[in-house]
Amino acid sequence: MKYGIRQYVTWNPDKAPHIAIFGITGGGKTVASKLLLARTAKNLPDMQLFVNDYKGDSDFSFVVGTPRF
């Protein structure tokens, strides 16, 4: 169980274009979200990503000012 990952999940954005990440405080949701965004942007550069940040802190400051944030 490397890095606390119990099970890997394959995501097919053509079949399920939406994703939601839930968990307890401190559970790694922000880290998982950033990793997912980075890997998706790298592997699917033409994909349109919409990001909702309900905390409003600086965790997603790298996308502030982009069209779909």
Side-chain angles (χ1 to χ4, degrees), residues 15-67:
K15 271 182 105 171
H18 302 93
I19 189 167
I21 298 175
F22 301 93
I24 62 170
T25 300
K29 298 176 299 295
T30 299
V31 173
S33 299
K34 287 180 169 183
L35 180 63
L36 181 64
L37 285 170
R39 288 191 176 177
T40 302
K42 179 182 176 190
N43 294 306
L44 300 168
D46 295 331
M47 178 177 277
Q48 292 185 17
L49 298 171
F50 293 78
V51 178
N52 295 316
D53 176 23
Y54 296 106
K55 280 195 310 186
D57 59 11
S58 63
D59 286 333
F60 290 93
S61 61
F62 61 96
V63 293
V64 170
T66 60

